């Protein structure tokens, strides 16, 4: 799942929707990265799309040398799947230790007036990429009502668990 996918703005079910106005602001303040986007689309009867406002806010904080935590909010003033607006918000983190150990995680929730309460998605992944040994573990959950309307989602209502272990010996006879 992707909470923000910019190609969702200006399209409605594959049909082009004209943009009225918009602005984007990005930058860094110390160890923080900030982003803000606001775009207003025009009414497009041919594309069956009323005028809609899109808002995206992002904040990311660098930690240590190669780690970070962040938060994201997306809003669409008129939902495509129900009445009212649609919002998504979430937090994520990437924690890198040593040169070969990464822990990546996120938690996100969407809100649409006509949707149910199974509107959460989360993921935790551990990836150790050593020269001789490697381990990958992942758990991903996407709820049935999780619907990031300013994002991208191939499918909903699934859970995935994954694990792999790798052993890569280097015999001296072929070195």
């Amino acid at each position: 799942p992707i909470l923000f996918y910019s190609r969702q703005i200006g399209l409605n079910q594959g049909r082009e929707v004209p943009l009225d106005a918009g602005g984007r602001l990005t930058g860094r303040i110390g160890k923080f990265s900030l982003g803000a986007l606001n775009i207003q689309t025009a009414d497009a009867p041919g594309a069956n799309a009323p005028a809609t406002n899109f808002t995206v806010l992002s904040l990311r904080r660098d930690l240590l040398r190669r780690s970070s935590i962040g938060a994201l909010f997306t809003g669409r003033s008129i939902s495509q799947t129900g009445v009212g607006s649609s919002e998504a918000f979430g937090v994520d983190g990437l924690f890198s230790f040593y040169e070969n150990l990464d822990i990546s995680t996120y938690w996100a929730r969407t809100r649409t007036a006509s949707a149910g309460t199974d509107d959460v998605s989360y993921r935790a992944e551990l990836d150790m990429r050593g020269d001789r040994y490697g381990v990958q573990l992942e758990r991903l959950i996407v709820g049935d009502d999780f619907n990031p309307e300013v994002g991208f989602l191939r499918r909903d209502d699934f859970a995935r668990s994954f694990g792999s272990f790798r052993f890569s010996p280097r015999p001296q006879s072929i070195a």
Side-chain angles (χ1 to χ4, degrees):
I2 299 171
L3 286 186
F4 174 59
Y5 188 62
S6 64
R7 293 183 181 181
Q8 292 289 32
I9 300 172
L11 291 177
N12 188 42
Q13 299 173 348
R15 293 188 156 172
E16 215 173 287
V17 176
L19 304 180
D20 273 349
R24 176 181 73 174
L25 176 67
T26 61
R28 291 188 62 86
I29 300 174
K31 293 186 177 192
F32 288 92
S33 297
L34 308 166
L37 174 91
N38 191 281
I39 295 178
Q40 180 68 42
T41 62
D43 197 24
N48 194 27
T52 305
N53 183 268
F54 295 86
T55 302
V56 180
L57 301 170
S58 170
L59 176 67
R60 178 159 304 285
R61 166 79 157 86
D62 295 335
L63 299 172
L64 306 173
R65 288 186 310 156
R66 299 182 307 132
S67 300
S68 65
I69 57 172
L72 182 72
F73 168 83
T74 66
R76 181 183 175 117
S77 65
I78 299 177
S79 173
Q80 290 183 307
T81 60
V83 296
S85 63
S86 175
E87 292 88 25
F89 49 93
V91 293
D92 69 330
L94 172 61
F95 307 98
S96 296
F97 303 100
Y98 307 107
E99 292 186 21
N100 61 358
L101 177 62
D102 292 332
I103 298 171
S104 174
T105 184
Y106 82 82
W107 178 91
R109 184 174 195 176
T110 59
R111 278 194 303 209
T112 306
S114 61
T117 59
D118 191 14
D119 56 0
V120 172
S121 176
Y122 59 88
R123 175 176 169 246
E125 179 183 33
L126 176 118
D127 190 6
M128 186 183 85
R129 301 168 311 280
D131 184 41
R132 181 167 287 180
Y133 300 98
V135 175
Q136 283 186 309
L137 301 171
E138 179 192 41
R139 178 70 172 159
L140 171 64
I141 302 289
V142 177
D144 187 32
D145 301 312
F146 186 74
N147 180 28
E149 289 196 35
V150 186
F152 180 75
L153 182 65
R154 286 183 199 255
R155 66 183 186 139
D156 59 9
D157 195 22
F158 75 94
R160 178 177 77 190
S161 296
F162 172 80
S164 80
F165 176 77
R166 174 185 51 82
F167 175 61
S168 306
R170 294 181 186 227
Q172 288 186 335
S173 62
I174 61 170

